[in-house]
Amino acid sequence: MAEAHVFYHEGSRGLQRRLGTERLAEHIADRYVEGLLSEEHIEWIGASDAVYLATVDPQGRPECSYKGGLPGFIRVLDPRTLEIPGYDGNGMFRSLGNAAVCPEVGLLFLFPERRAKLRVNGACEVATDAGTVAAHPGAQVVLRVRVREVFENCPRYLHDRVSGERSVDCPRPDHVPPDPDWKLKSEYDGLVQRTGVRPS
């Protein structure tokens, strides 16, 4: 589990203090932020056909890109290491170029078949050697990520990608969103406010 004093910086802490979520944030970091991929998460990633990749350039300016492929295109080498192939594209190499000089990335996985979000943060390297690239059919380069933090994110505002139905949790006039299932767990007693509206 991650230690809250390491996982959060003063920007996060300031907002937590202002909005009264310090104890909740500490609970989540202490209990749910891991340093390696679980078997379940490895299975999810192995079946995934996409990932969102966040990088920063040498001036600290962020970039976010979508990386897609057939299910299984992301290889999990072990619970601390995964590889994402870089396929033929427009040749700009903005995200992978960022990763080559600022080797820290954030990954966001969404799964159309399940109501879940998975975040993976870690150090990375851009591999161009023939052996690594050849292990990924069609790849030009490979981004190898060494996992530092893994955690699931509240899926509350995810829309249903299959049906197109919008999340019932999205705020709107004259609507009280239901409490998400996670808020109803006893471990969150005293840490969250509840509306009393049950999920349907």
Side-chain angles (χ1 to χ4, degrees):
M1 305 298 173
E3 296 182 30
H5 70 277
V6 174
F7 186 61
Y8 301 117
H9 54 72
E10 188 50 38
S12 301
R13 286 302 202 183
L15 287 168
Q16 291 167 15
R17 285 191 293 271
R18 182 168 185 170
L19 299 172
T21 65
E22 285 177 285
R23 289 179 55 228
L24 172 62
E26 287 179 11
H27 175 82
I28 291 171
D30 291 343
R31 185 155 183 178
Y32 293 107
V33 179
E34 299 286 353
L36 50 80
L37 296 164
S38 69
E39 288 185 15
E40 182 178 38
H41 293 154
I42 291 172
E43 181 183 328
W44 290 5
I45 292 171
S48 180
D49 64 359
V51 64
Y52 294 88
L53 168 67
T55 60
V56 294
D57 72 11
Q59 287 74 47
R61 296 174 299 199
E63 186 94 25
C64 184
S65 62
Y66 169 93
K67 302 298 180 189
L70 295 177
F73 84 109
I74 298 172
R75 296 181 62 211
V76 179
L77 304 184
D78 60 59
R80 296 185 186 277
T81 315
L82 56 85
E83 291 184 344
I84 304 168
Y87 297 137
D88 178 46
N90 56 22
M92 292 193 299
F93 292 107
R94 290 183 58 85
S95 295
L96 292 175
N98 287 348
V101 295
C102 299
E104 292 284 336
V105 294
L107 308 176
L108 172 64
F109 292 92
L110 302 178
F111 309 97
E113 70 282 2
R114 63 176 42 88
R115 194 169 164 79
K117 294 186 293 184
L118 183 66
R119 290 170 64 170
V120 178
N121 299 325
C124 67
E125 63 177 305
V126 178
T128 57
D129 64 280
T132 301
V133 172
H136 298 267
Q140 293 182 320
V141 298
V142 173
L143 182 68
R144 183 177 294 121
V145 179
R146 192 79 176 148
V147 175
R148 183 179 61 250
E149 297 149 351
V150 180
F151 55 103
E152 291 182 48
N153 239 166
C154 174
R156 206 171 171 190
Y157 304 107
L158 281 177
H159 306 303
D160 190 317
R161 294 298 177 199
V162 176
S163 70
E165 184 178 347
R166 302 293 181 211
S167 171
V168 69
D169 295 298
C170 291
R172 60 199 82 152
D174 303 317
H175 172 71
V176 178
D179 288 318
D181 289 338
W182 68 266
K183 274 192 177 185
L184 302 177
K185 295 178 181 177
S186 60
E187 69 181 274
Y188 293 103
D189 290 349
L191 296 177
V192 296
Q193 292 183 334
R194 298 180 176 122
T195 64
V197 178
R198 298 300 299 264
S200 55

